[in-house]
């Protein structure tokens, strides 16, 4: 440790930075020798105000009355939307912790004054000033009082392989989801230890937990349902039995709570539980982390490093907040003012230009049927690439600079010479993601790095996906709808350019979907065969494009309602390496019972044996045997009950369901009757049963008799899912049942017999199709 | 999600709906024909959206015409193949 060693220098990692009452900020530092230390650093914070001189004078007068240490001065800063320097009054507050309250008071007293840099997360300010971000590896000089004299980052957020901090992680998991039923024990894991501690009796339980926290002294508490249940439960027991529980390392701090919320995003209702943050230790709740399943702890670390948000926050925030944070850091670096409330309206324009501008990506209707010799080519992170390549940012779109170019379709101009704030933010992120992707492609399967890279790449994916949406979001600080429209306009332009290239090279374009094309050319078999088209598209558009894979065969499905009508996102196919790709079919939907999606995946696995579409009918006897076997297991009710579970995400509360007899509403009512309420965005699980109300909510107490399962209902779901897979081989819905149950044996099944438009009309006109 | 303009799929359904009285008064066999025409227009929704025409129904009509013409060409080719003696001798004659 550093006691007594005045002016010592340390190497290590910054785990967390937060405000403290009288010492500026606290840094929790993990030194390379394994010691955990608490350091402090004075950290005055500056924000700005703009108004006419008389109002600013009044503000100065008010500031002079404040009982806190601060200083003011007049200066010039750049406003992004005006794209010029404007005169502002800088207000520098000596104690970090006092700034938010001061700003709150001022914004209420002076609602007409525009404030800038007023509500920026401390960790972003710290990064902008020192270059130190969460988990940054750095060198620190501190004095004998543990006050930081200097801090120097030896690492950037853009390293692919940063030096890994030797973090101590304690994992705590209740045995069941507390929302659904009462947990009885806690699964505890750290390093090589695992154990189960019963929650009853309470006193020994809480003593045990306190002693593990004391002796192991973890850096990270990794929990399941810690935010919504566990931490509160532990605190309650600690209070009841008067056993001190060292959840925090920081002396004198309790836990910090943030409320739960329900919101609507990307067509889904999302429920986020309350959050519990610790000080000096990090609490991460796997069940409340945004996309834990996608990216895990590695992804959380990566998000913290690239967004600059504290780890406890980056584990839980939406990717949109992550992108916002990154843009603020870029703004602080560029010396651009960060508006508190954006006051930016859309420019007036003609209705026709709205027609052209207000469009998304191009989504085609594919050529229905079964196809071979198909390659799928995708633009790599298309929208972020477009933003970076064409320099699309709030301040570059609509530029009056003489070098400005015209954006296709929109009739607006864009300055492509001076790098904009949004592209500057995205460029390193995009570069890092592409580097990860290259590494993932080249590393062998057994390499542990591959898994880490995959986690990181998927964390980046969400940041990059939202960065585009945030250009058009009305509350985004640096968003502007014209910039958002410019991105989609360029996107459409690039996709059509790619289509032209493909057709010039003799490809048939089967399908296009925003950033991907499915192209067919008989005879093309290898990755090498597709190089010319990739090269040409990339040369013509300036954007990176890659071959996602070559299909042995792929089937584009029609709509459920009408087999003449193609739908954009319902297809399945098998790549040459045997990987199955499915979209929009039952196995991909989370509400499909496992016994049904399991069947689909098993049939698909069998279908991978066909090297081309022509070989598929040869597999029909095997497929039939498999289907009959799976169906009989379902009907005999011998599968584990979990296999029959239907899981639906709630989009509303029970009172809002208009029809009380829908399975979801009925299951919800059963839960409500035993005092368990679920909120929109949470999931309800149930089984289909015989009689009324036809469902049994999974989380009801007591045993369930499998004889009550409504197997007829599961059979209907089963046949529908089987039809999805066999339809491209020429089956009709009734024909499938006849074939499956031996009522009729089709002699030779033709491939690709989708009804052509008009075909079914022939009998009405007394005609028969002869071909 | 908030939209300033309806999506092309919504526009399509709206246009189809606008002709529901026309469709209702048709004979059953003609109703099916109208449904088919709309189905063929639906194959070109992406291009219709991209066209951003102020009167989208004009684009839908053109899409229907396009599919009709494709079908005419296909039938013409079939008839020509059926009427002409086998293709290979005729090419031999020409050469």
């Amino acid at each position: 440790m550093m006691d007594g060693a005045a002016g010592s220098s340390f190497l290590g990692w910054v785990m967390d930075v937060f405000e403290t009452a009288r010492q500026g900020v606290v840094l929790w530092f993990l030194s390379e020798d394994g010691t955990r230390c608490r350091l402090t650093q004075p950290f005055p914070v500056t924000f700005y105000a703009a108004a006419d001189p008389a109002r600013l004078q009044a503000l100065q007068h008010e500031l002079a009355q404040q009982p806190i240490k601060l200083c003011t001065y007049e200066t010039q800063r750049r406003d992004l939307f005006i794209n010029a320097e404007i005169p502002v009054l800088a207000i520098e507050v000596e104690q970090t912790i006092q700034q938010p309250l001061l700003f709150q008071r001022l914004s209420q007293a002076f609602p007409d004054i525009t404030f800038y840099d007023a509500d920026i997360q401390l960790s972003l300010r710290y990064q902008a000033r020192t270059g130190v971000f969460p988990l940054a590896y750095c060198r620190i000089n501190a004095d004998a009082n543990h006050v930081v004299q200097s801090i120097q980052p030896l690492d950037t957020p853009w390293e692919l392989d940063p030096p890994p901090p030797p973090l101590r992680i304690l994992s705590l998991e209740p045995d069941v989801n507390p929302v659904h039923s009462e947990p009885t024990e806690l699964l505890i894991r750290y390093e090589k230890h695992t154990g189960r501690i019963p929650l009853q009796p309470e006193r020994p339980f809480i003593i045990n937990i306190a002693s593990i926290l004391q002796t192991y002294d973890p850096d990270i508490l990794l929990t399941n349902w810690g935010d919504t249940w566990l931490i509160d439960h532990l605190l309650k027991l600690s209070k009841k039995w008067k056993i001190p529980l060292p959840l925090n390392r920081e002396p004198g701090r309790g836990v910090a709570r943030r409320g739960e919320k329900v919101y609507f995003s990307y067509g889904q209702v999302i429920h986020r539980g309350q959050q519990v943050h610790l000080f000096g230790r990090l609490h991460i709740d796997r069940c409340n982390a945004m996309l834990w399943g996608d990216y895990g702890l590695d992804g959380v670390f990566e998000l913290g490093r690239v967004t600059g948000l504290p780890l406890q926050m980056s584990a839980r925030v939406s990717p949109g907040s992550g992108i916002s944070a990154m843009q603020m850091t870029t703004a602080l670096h560029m010396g651009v003012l960060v508006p508190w409330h954006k006051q930016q309206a859309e420019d007036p324009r003609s209705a026709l230009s709205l027609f052209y501008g207000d469009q998304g990506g191009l989504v085609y209707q594919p050529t229905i049927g079964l196809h071979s010799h198909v390659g799928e080519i995708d633009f790599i992170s298309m929208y972020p690439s477009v933003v970076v390549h064409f320099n699309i940012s709030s301040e570059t779109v609509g530029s009056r600079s003489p070098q400005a170019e015209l954006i296709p379709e929109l009739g607006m101009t864009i300055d492509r010479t001076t790098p904009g704030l949004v592209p500057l933010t995205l460029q390193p992120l995009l570069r890092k993601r592409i580097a990860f992707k290259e590494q993932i492609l080249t590393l062998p399967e057994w390499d542990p790095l591959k898994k880490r890279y995959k986690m990181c790449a998927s964390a980046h994916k969400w940041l990059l996906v939202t960065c585009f949406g945030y250009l058009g979001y009305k509350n985004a600080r640096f968003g502007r709808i014209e910039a958002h429209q410019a991105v989609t306009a360029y996107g459409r332009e690039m996709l059509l350019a790619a289509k032209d290239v493909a057709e010039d090279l003799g490809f048939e374009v089967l399908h296009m979907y925003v950033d991907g094309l499915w192209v067919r050319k008989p005879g093309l078999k290898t990755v090498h065969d597709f190089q010319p088209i990739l090269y040409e598209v990339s040369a013509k558009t300036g954007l990176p494009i890659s071959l996602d894979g070559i299909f042995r065969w792929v089937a584009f499905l029609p709509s459920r309602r009408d087999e003449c009508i193609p739908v954009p996102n319902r297809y399945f196919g098998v790549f040459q390496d045997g990987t199955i790709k499915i979209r929009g079919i039952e196995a991909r939907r989370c509400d499909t019972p496992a016994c049904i999606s399991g069947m689909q995946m098993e049939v698909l696995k069998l279908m991978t044996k066909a090297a081309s579409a022509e070989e598929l009918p040869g597999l029909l006897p095997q497929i039939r045997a498999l289907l009959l076997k799976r169906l009989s297991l379902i009907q005999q009710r011998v599968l584990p009950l979990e296999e029959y579970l239907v899981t639906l995400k709630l989009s509303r509360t029970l009172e809002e369901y208009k029809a009380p007899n829908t399975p979801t509403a009925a299951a919800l009512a059963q839960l409500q009757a035993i005092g368990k309420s679920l909120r929109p965005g949470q999931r309800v699980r149930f089984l289909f049963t015989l009689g009324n109300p036809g469902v049994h909510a999974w989380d009801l107490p007591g045993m369930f008799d499998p004889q009550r399962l409504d197997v007829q209902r599961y059979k209907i779901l089963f046949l529908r899912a089987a039809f999805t897979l066999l339809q491209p081989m020429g089956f009709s819905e009734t024909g499938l049942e006849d074939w499956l149950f031996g009522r009729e044996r089709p002699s030779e099944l033709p491939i690709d017999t989708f009804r052509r438009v008009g075909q079914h009309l022939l009998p009405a006109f007394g005609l028969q199709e002869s071909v | 999600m908030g939209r300033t303009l309806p999506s092309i799929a919504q526009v399509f359904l709206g246009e189809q709906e606008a002709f529901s009285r026309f469709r209702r008064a048709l004979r059953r066999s003609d109703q099916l024909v109208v449904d088919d025409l709309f189905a063929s227009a639906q194959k070109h929704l992406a291009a219709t959206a991209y066209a951003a025409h102020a009167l989208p129904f004009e684009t839908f009509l053109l899409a229907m015409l396009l599919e009709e013409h494709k079908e005419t060409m296909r039938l013409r080719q079939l008839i020509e193949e059926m009427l002409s003696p086998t293709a290979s001798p005729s090419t031999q004659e020409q050469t």
Side-chain angles (χ1 to χ4, degrees):
Chain A
M1 194 74 190
M2 46 196 287
D3 290 343
S8 316
S9 160
F10 298 93
L11 287 171
W13 296 264
V14 171
M15 288 194 291
D16 208 0
V17 177
F18 50 86
E19 299 91 340
T20 170
R22 271 182 290 278
Q23 297 165 295
V25 295
V26 174
L27 268 76
W28 274 94
F29 188 72
L30 166 50
S31 160
E32 228 173 16
D33 64 9
T35 50
R36 274 78 181 153
C37 24
R38 179 186 185 275
L39 305 167
T40 60
Q41 188 177 6
F43 195 78
V45 166
T46 310
F47 66 111
Y48 303 92
D52 61 67
R55 290 301 287 161
L56 283 186
Q57 211 163 13
L59 179 69
Q60 291 243 35
H61 183 74
E62 174 71 25
L63 285 167
Q65 317 287 318
Q66 298 297 325
I68 59 178
K69 273 193 184 171
L70 54 82
C71 68
T72 60
Y73 53 91
E74 282 167 21
T75 180
Q76 300 264 328
R77 303 280 288 183
R78 192 167 150 229
D79 179 296
L80 196 69
F81 290 99
I82 303 171
N83 213 357
E85 301 251 321
I86 58 167
V88 286
L89 179 74
I91 306 158
E92 190 184 299
V93 184
E94 191 182 293
Q95 277 306 325
T96 328
I97 205 165
Q98 292 168 337
Q99 188 269 337
L101 198 64
L102 172 66
F103 162 63
Q104 197 190 343
R105 236 178 286 149
L106 294 180
S107 63
Q108 277 163 8
F110 298 88
D112 54 324
I113 290 183
T114 314
F115 290 97
Y116 297 95
D117 293 13
D119 59 340
I120 298 175
Q121 175 70 33
L122 172 68
S123 70
L124 303 182
R125 290 187 197 270
Y126 196 81
Q127 180 181 4
R129 207 176 307 167
T130 62
V132 172
F133 47 92
L135 292 186
Y137 184 67
C138 35
R139 181 193 303 281
I140 287 187
N141 285 307
D143 68 11
N145 297 320
H146 303 178
V147 178
V148 174
Q149 302 299 307
S150 71
I151 180 162
Q152 180 198 1
L154 303 173
D155 172 18
T156 72
W158 313 116
E159 297 291 328
L160 290 195
D161 298 300
L167 291 165
R168 292 201 289 255
I169 301 170
L170 173 65
S171 162
L172 301 174
E173 298 165 51
D175 53 348
V176 290
N177 182 349
V179 176
H180 295 309
S181 44
E182 195 69 34
T184 54
E185 54 182 18
L186 204 59
L187 175 65
I188 298 198
R189 280 182 294 180
Y190 58 97
E191 283 166 17
K192 291 195 175 79
H193 308 266
T194 25
R196 289 173 185 278
I197 306 185
L199 289 160
Q200 298 287 349
E202 289 174 346
R203 194 166 177 276
F205 166 75
I206 195 71
I207 290 175
N208 233 325
I209 298 290
S211 113
I212 293 173
L213 282 173
Q214 197 73 52
T215 49
Y216 181 55
D217 187 23
D219 302 305
I220 297 185
L221 266 188
L222 190 60
T223 64
N224 282 359
W225 305 292
D227 278 346
T228 45
W229 181 78
L230 182 63
I231 301 283
D232 280 341
H233 184 71
L234 294 178
L235 287 172
K236 196 179 75 193
L237 293 184
S238 143
K239 199 170 161 197
K240 180 174 169 190
W241 297 100
K242 300 193 174 57
I243 309 282
L245 191 67
L247 282 173
N248 287 320
R249 278 184 179 141
E250 178 75 7
R253 286 300 260 278
V255 303
R257 288 192 178 78
R258 281 151 211 256
E260 66 173 340
K261 55 181 176 179
V262 175
Y263 59 95
F264 190 74
S265 163
Y266 288 86
Q268 289 192 319
V269 178
I270 295 183
H271 173 262
R272 307 289 308 283
Q274 109 167 323
Q275 303 183 9
V276 179
H277 293 211
L278 303 178
F279 296 91
R281 228 192 279 287
L282 308 172
H283 171 226
I284 295 173
D285 178 350
R286 279 182 279 239
C287 303
N288 208 19
M290 189 67 185
L291 297 156
W292 182 267
D294 280 8
Y295 50 61
L297 201 55
D298 281 326
V300 168
F301 291 165
E302 178 67 17
L303 277 180
R305 290 175 57 93
V306 301
T307 63
L309 290 174
L311 291 173
Q312 300 192 84
M313 196 184 263
S314 58
R316 294 170 173 95
V317 294
S318 65
S321 319
I323 276 291
S324 245
M326 292 176 70
Q327 291 179 353
M328 282 192 229
T329 311
T330 312
L332 291 173
H333 269 303
M334 289 167 74
V336 165
L337 293 166
V338 178
W340 172 45
H341 279 165
K342 188 177 67 168
Q343 292 162 335
Q344 193 64 34
E346 195 172 339
D347 291 337
R349 55 162 126 186
S350 73
L352 198 62
S353 85
L354 180 68
F355 280 1
Y356 281 114
D358 190 27
Q359 295 190 34
L362 283 177
V363 175
Y364 273 72
Q365 315 294 109
T367 311
I368 300 175
L370 195 54
H371 311 277
S372 296
H373 315 289
V374 179
E376 183 187 342
I377 58 179
D378 289 334
F379 284 100
I380 301 168
S381 302
M382 184 195 228
Y383 284 167
S385 298
V386 163
V387 169
V388 172
H389 185 73
F390 294 101
N391 195 34
I392 300 172
S393 191
S394 308
E395 75 279 20
T396 59
V397 171
S399 157
R400 294 209 180 82
S401 132
Q403 299 103 320
E405 292 176 19
L406 216 55
I407 302 170
E409 297 180 40
L410 299 187
M412 278 187 295
T413 53
I414 183 157
D415 174 6
R416 291 185 60 189
T417 48
T418 325
L421 181 134
V422 180
L424 273 178
T425 309
L426 286 185
Q427 193 168 29
L429 187 65
L430 189 61
R431 206 178 287 153
K432 190 173 185 186
R433 176 168 160 83
I434 292 174
F436 274 137
K437 288 220 127 184
E438 279 170 4
Q439 291 289 320
I440 292 168
L441 280 181
T442 48
L443 284 176
E445 216 47 57
W446 51 262
D447 197 317
L449 269 183
K450 186 163 181 152
K451 188 171 162 247
R452 199 180 76 79
Y453 287 162
K454 273 189 183 165
M455 295 290 202
C456 293
S458 96
H460 285 190
K461 176 182 173 158
W462 289 105
L463 285 178
L464 288 168
V465 165
T466 36
C467 77
F468 151 71
Y470 252 56
L471 276 173
Y473 178 46
K474 69 177 178 358
N475 292 335
R477 317 261 178 141
F478 298 107
R480 197 176 147 197
I481 194 69
E482 286 86 352
H484 180 92
Q485 292 178 342
V487 177
T488 57
Y490 275 116
R492 291 190 294 273
E493 199 62 25
M494 297 303 110
L495 191 71
L496 289 180
K499 178 189 80 82
D500 287 343
V501 168
E503 287 173 339
D504 286 348
L505 291 175
F507 284 89
E508 181 189 352
V509 178
L510 289 176
H511 190 27
M512 293 198 278
Y513 198 104
V514 186
D515 58 353
L517 298 96
W518 285 256
V519 292
R520 175 169 70 176
K521 191 170 172 183
L524 293 202
K525 287 192 186 73
T526 63
V527 176
H528 186 73
D529 294 336
F530 283 85
Q531 284 312 316
I533 180 171
L534 296 180
Y535 175 78
E536 285 290 321
V537 173
S538 206
K540 193 158 173 189
T541 60
L543 301 181
I545 192 160
S546 71
L547 178 68
D548 204 41
I550 305 169
F551 287 98
R552 292 180 189 170
W553 51 264
V554 58
F556 290 108
L557 296 169
S559 128
R560 278 212 168 284
R561 270 185 306 117
D562 186 337
E563 62 173 81
C564 273
I565 298 175
V567 284
N569 216 8
R570 228 164 82 82
Y571 62 88
F572 59 91
V574 173
F575 286 117
Q576 279 182 341
D577 66 356
T579 318
I580 297 167
K581 180 160 188 178
I582 55 173
R583 288 290 181 274
I585 69 171
E586 289 78 359
R588 175 107 174 154
R589 301 181 52 98
C590 55
D591 57 354
T592 308
C595 60
I596 309 285
S597 45
M599 172 276 287
Q600 266 197 337
M601 290 318 291
E602 213 176 321
V603 173
L604 278 169
K605 220 172 132 195
L606 189 57
M607 287 165 85
T608 59
K609 286 188 187 167
S612 70
E614 289 74 27
E615 290 179 19
L616 276 172
L619 295 169
L620 280 173
Q622 292 177 56
I623 294 175
R624 181 165 177 265
L626 177 64
L627 287 175
L628 288 174
K629 193 181 93 197
R630 302 270 324 196
L631 183 59
S632 104
L633 290 178
I634 292 176
Q635 289 186 311
Q636 288 167 27
R637 304 176 164 95
V638 290
L639 297 172
L641 282 176
E642 285 84 351
E643 293 265 312
Y644 295 87
L645 263 189
V646 178
T647 307
L648 283 174
K649 202 176 203 180
L650 298 176
S651 56
R652 56 194 97 177
T653 61
L654 178 59
E655 293 71 36
E656 288 164 343
Y657 277 94
K658 289 197 185 85
N661 296 328
T662 60
T664 319
L668 208 51
Q670 288 174 347
L671 289 176
Q672 204 133 316
I674 59 158
K676 284 192 175 139
S677 64
L678 291 175
R679 304 205 43 187
Q682 290 186 304
R683 288 167 202 276
V684 61
R685 299 179 293 171
F686 57 82
L687 300 164
F688 284 119
T689 55
L690 296 165
N692 257 333
V695 295
H696 173 92
W698 183 244
D699 298 305
L700 291 177
M703 294 290 284
F704 179 83
D705 175 13
Q707 290 309 316
R708 287 177 56 207
L709 282 174
D710 182 359
V711 287
Q712 200 53 34
R713 181 127 196 194
Y714 287 99
K715 184 181 168 189
I716 294 171
L717 295 177
F718 182 94
L719 289 174
R720 202 186 287 162
F723 173 64
T724 302
L725 297 184
L726 294 176
Q727 188 184 17
M729 279 193 257
F731 281 93
S732 67
E733 223 159 345
T734 48
L736 171 75
E737 280 188 55
D738 290 341
W739 167 73
L740 196 58
F741 304 119
R743 290 198 279 268
E744 188 190 301
R745 262 189 73 217
S747 45
E748 188 108 326
L749 276 162
I751 289 190
D752 216 357
T753 51
F754 282 98
R755 176 165 69 82
R756 259 192 302 281
V757 166
Q759 203 174 314
H760 67 302
L761 296 178
L762 295 174
F765 290 93
L767 296 168
Q768 285 300 324
E769 196 176 39
S770 54
V771 196
Chain B
M1 259 173 281
R3 275 184 172 275
T4 317
L5 296 175
S7 76
I8 196 64
Q10 288 169 307
V11 170
F12 176 82
L13 291 176
E15 292 289 346
Q16 200 172 19
E17 182 60 30
F19 287 93
S20 61
R21 288 177 63 85
F22 171 73
R23 184 185 180 279
R24 191 179 169 209
L26 293 173
R27 287 185 187 81
R28 175 62 55 84
S29 57
D30 290 346
Q31 285 181 345
L32 296 175
V33 177
V34 168
D35 293 348
D36 263 17
L37 286 176
F38 274 102
S40 54
Q42 208 172 350
K43 288 190 172 168
H44 300 285
L45 284 186
T48 312
Y50 182 72
H53 206 291
L55 299 173
F57 193 69
E58 290 186 356
T59 320
F60 289 136
L61 283 176
L62 189 59
M64 292 174 194
L65 206 53
L66 186 158
E67 286 296 317
E68 282 305 300
H69 190 58
K70 256 162 74 178
E71 189 64 3
T72 312
M73 306 257 281
R74 190 180 74 85
L75 293 173
R76 168 184 294 184
Q77 197 188 352
L78 274 177
I79 292 172
E80 280 175 357
E81 276 170 22
M82 271 154 50
L83 290 184
S84 69
T86 51
S88 38
S90 70
T91 37
Q92 274 171 6
E93 273 166 39
Q94 280 168 13
T95 46

